[in-house]
Amino acid sequence: MHVIADAHIYDRHIPLIEELIKREPFPAPKFILNPEVKNFYDFKPEDVQLENYQFGEQIKNIPIAI
């Protein structure tokens, strides 16, 4: 489950969001959890993997909205 709370876009971010929307999407990566771990609290970072994760060029100098 994933929850986003208080998500919003400020007016100064609209051109950046428009650029992101125009980008060609990548295929979803494969999310892998170590099947040997049976207790949630026993998971360690090395028990989680993303295969074939692809990402686009980073947008830099995003203005901060105060």
Side-chain angles (χ1 to χ4, degrees):
M1 178 169 65
H2 180 78
V3 176
I4 298 175
D6 196 23
H8 48 272
I9 300 170
Y10 291 100
D11 58 348
R12 66 198 74 168
H13 298 137
I14 291 174
L16 303 172
I17 299 301
E18 289 173 338
E19 178 185 333
L20 288 172
I21 291 171
K22 289 178 188 174
R23 291 183 179 185
E24 196 67 35
F26 295 111
K30 183 175 181 180
F31 179 77
I32 301 170
L33 286 176
N34 181 349
E36 296 176 10
V37 179
K38 303 301 179 196
N39 182 331
F40 175 82
Y41 296 102
D42 290 337
F43 278 107
K44 299 180 206 102
E46 56 269 18
D47 293 319
V48 179
Q49 296 178 18
L50 275 181
E51 287 185 352
N52 300 319
Y53 177 72
Q54 299 176 19
F55 55 91
E57 183 180 339
Q58 178 184 5
I59 295 179
K60 298 182 181 196
N61 302 319
I62 298 174
I64 297 174
I66 301 177

